[in-house]
């Protein structure tokens, strides 16, 4: 354990001296059937499922990918992704990035890794990925050193979060595991009618214990956390789909459009209609948000020529 910590510390300290390049970083969201097959990629390909489900090629067969599943494909490893109806619903949202360099190779070799693994969907990690995407797509005053450090921090956070996802050998680990179970249940069901009692039952806890534990370890009530997921999904659909605002409100778990309009404007400072009228590439003030996902504009700004050729192939 101490060797691993020392190894990761060395990797973090050496980030400026090592070869580390980010070629693309973005968020994708699908509500229609979608398939993507790449010839063996020349980069490391990271993909984190955060909303809905899809299927991906893992170990020679198509495997179900759910929220909290992190996929990492090494250079030369075949990649195939399919978004189709699962339980009668088509919905898949994920972060992805393409990178290469000796730092990433050394990080990969620092401990045994799987192509598909579970990670704790931590708000800090999601914020790191969001900030990395923003920096990668910044047209002016790009900061390669900051991008390298953000990418380094993101990779090191995966090592911590993959451990948290399977912890359970001590009381604190058990508490983390129970909260993770509740969060996974909420992540999967947030866009449908959801009651606190259902969340508690899924974790095998009383309602009072579930409410207290969730608030203690996340800083959010179960209701607040559910609403944040609904609002962030609604924001993405407003910005990157042609669905009507009323349809979006209903599909994201809000009973009425008037209520949705009220909480949305209170959360983001702009009404749904005002958000839709803004260019998709416009940056909103997400400083206080831990759930909102950045998406690049349609012209693939911030993506390297090599990655552009690869993604367009």
């Amino acid at each position: 354990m101490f060797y691993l910590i020392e190894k990761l510390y060395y990797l973090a300290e050496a980030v400026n001296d090592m070869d580390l390049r980010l070629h693309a970083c973005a968020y994708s969201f699908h509500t229609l059937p979608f398939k993507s097959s790449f010839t063996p990629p020349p980069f490391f390909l990271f993909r984190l499922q955060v909303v809905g489900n899809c299927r991906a090629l893992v170990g020679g067969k198509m495997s179900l990918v759910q929220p909290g599943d992190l996929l990492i494909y090494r250079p030369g490893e075949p990649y195939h992704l399919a978004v189709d109806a699962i339980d009668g619903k088509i919905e898949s949202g994920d972060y992805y990035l393409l990178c290469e360099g000796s730092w990433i190779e050394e990080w990969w070799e620092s401990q045994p890794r799987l192509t598909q693994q579970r990670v704790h969907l931590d708000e800090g990690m999601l914020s790191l990925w969001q900030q990395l995407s923003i920096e990668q797509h910044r047209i002016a005053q790009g900061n390669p050193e900051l991008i390298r450090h953000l990418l380094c921090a993101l990779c090191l956070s995966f090592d911590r979060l993959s451990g948290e996802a399977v912890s359970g050998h001590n009381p604190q680990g058990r508490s983390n595991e129970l909260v993770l179970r509740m969060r996974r249940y909420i992540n999967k069901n947030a866009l449908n009618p959801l009651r606190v009692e259902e969340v508690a039952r899924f974790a095998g806890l009383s309602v009072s214990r579930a409410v207290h534990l969730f608030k203690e370890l996340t800083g959010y009530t179960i209701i607040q956390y559910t609403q944040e997921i609904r609002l962030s999904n609604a924001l993405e659909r407003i910005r990157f789909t042609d669905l009507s605002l009323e349809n979006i409100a209903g599909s994201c778990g809000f009973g009425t459009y008037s209520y949705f309009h009220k909480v949305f404007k209170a959360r983001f400072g702009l009404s749904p209609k005002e958000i839709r009228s803004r260019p998709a590439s416009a940056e909103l003030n997400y400083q206080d948000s831990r759930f909102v996902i950045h998406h690049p504009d349609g012209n693939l700004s911030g993506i390297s020529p090599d990655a552009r050729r690869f993604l367009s192939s």
Side-chain angles (χ1 to χ4, degrees):
M1 179 64 179
F2 287 108
Y3 169 77
L4 176 58
I5 294 174
E6 185 176 299
K7 179 74 169 178
L8 296 178
Y9 177 79
Y10 164 75
L11 290 174
E13 287 293 304
V15 65
N16 283 326
D17 300 325
M18 299 184 75
D19 180 28
L20 180 62
R21 296 181 299 282
L22 178 66
H23 288 280
C25 183
Y27 174 81
S28 63
F29 183 75
H30 303 280
T31 56
L32 295 174
F34 172 82
K35 290 186 178 181
S36 178
S37 293
F38 293 149
T39 55
F43 318 113
F44 278 89
L45 190 158
F46 290 64
R47 186 185 183 281
L48 176 66
Q49 189 77 17
V50 293
V51 177
N53 304 281
C54 67
R55 301 183 191 279
L57 184 64
V58 178
K61 65 179 182 179
M62 296 299 290
S63 299
L64 179 65
V65 181
Q66 300 175 304
D69 280 341
L70 174 67
L71 303 174
I72 305 179
Y73 294 87
R74 293 168 293 173
E77 190 172 1
Y79 173 81
H80 180 71
L81 177 75
V83 177
D84 46 28
I86 297 178
D87 296 330
K89 187 175 184 179
I90 300 177
E91 182 178 69
S92 177
D94 67 274
Y95 292 96
Y96 70 88
L97 65 83
L98 301 172
C99 62
E100 66 174 332
S102 58
W103 190 93
I104 291 294
E105 293 170 2
E106 190 166 348
W107 170 80
W108 176 269
E109 296 295 337
S110 66
Q111 60 176 289
R113 301 187 188 278
L114 301 174
T115 300
Q116 181 177 8
Q117 61 178 298
R118 299 290 296 178
V119 297
H120 185 179
L121 285 177
D122 176 77
E123 292 89 350
M125 180 268 290
L126 296 178
S127 295
L128 269 175
W129 208 318
Q130 174 190 331
Q131 189 61 38
L132 185 61
S133 179
I134 290 173
E135 292 299 328
Q136 178 72 359
H137 293 87
R138 197 179 296 280
I139 297 175
Q141 298 179 336
N143 190 330
E145 183 177 345
L146 176 58
I147 289 175
R148 287 197 300 270
H149 277 83
L150 287 171
L151 180 53
C152 172
L154 182 64
C155 290
L156 296 180
S157 73
F158 292 148
D159 296 326
R160 173 177 61 85
L161 296 171
S162 61
E164 289 183 11
V166 298
S167 62
H169 59 281
N170 57 60
Q172 183 61 38
R174 176 60 176 167
S175 295
N176 287 335
E177 181 182 6
L178 291 171
V179 170
L180 181 61
R181 281 179 59 83
M182 288 189 278
R183 291 177 62 167
R184 286 176 179 165
Y185 185 84
I186 297 170
N187 290 344
K188 183 177 180 180
N189 297 283
L191 304 189
N192 300 314
L194 185 65
R195 298 169 63 238
V196 173
E197 290 82 359
E198 298 170 5
V199 179
R201 188 183 308 116
F202 183 78
L205 300 171
S206 67
V207 171
S208 60
R209 176 58 176 160
V211 168
H212 173 78
L213 190 62
F214 196 91
K215 173 70 172 178
E216 180 183 18
L217 294 188
T218 70
Y220 290 87
T221 67
I222 291 174
I223 299 301
Q224 288 172 334
Y225 183 81
T226 302
Q227 183 132 297
E228 288 289 343
I229 292 175
R230 290 172 174 172
L231 286 171
S232 66
N233 277 274
L235 178 68
E236 290 301 318
R237 296 180 190 198
I238 290 170
R239 299 182 75 200
F240 305 112
T241 77
D242 295 325
L243 296 172
S244 71
L245 298 179
E246 291 77 10
N247 183 299
I248 290 172
S251 66
C252 289
F254 294 95
T256 65
Y257 180 77
S258 59
Y259 176 67
F260 167 65
H261 182 281
K262 177 182 177 180
V263 297
F264 187 94
K265 187 167 185 178
R267 182 66 182 83
F268 299 114
L270 295 171
S271 70
K273 185 175 181 180
E274 289 170 329
I275 291 289
R276 174 154 279 179
S277 67
R278 294 163 63 94
S281 58
E283 290 184 14
L284 302 179
N285 180 13
Y286 297 158
Q287 185 173 1
D288 297 327
S289 174
R290 299 182 179 185
F291 297 85
V292 176
I293 302 162
H294 178 77
H295 193 294
D297 56 17
N299 64 6
L300 300 179
S301 64
I303 296 181
S304 74
D306 288 340
R308 191 190 306 273
R309 286 192 293 270
F310 171 65
L311 291 171
S312 301
S313 62

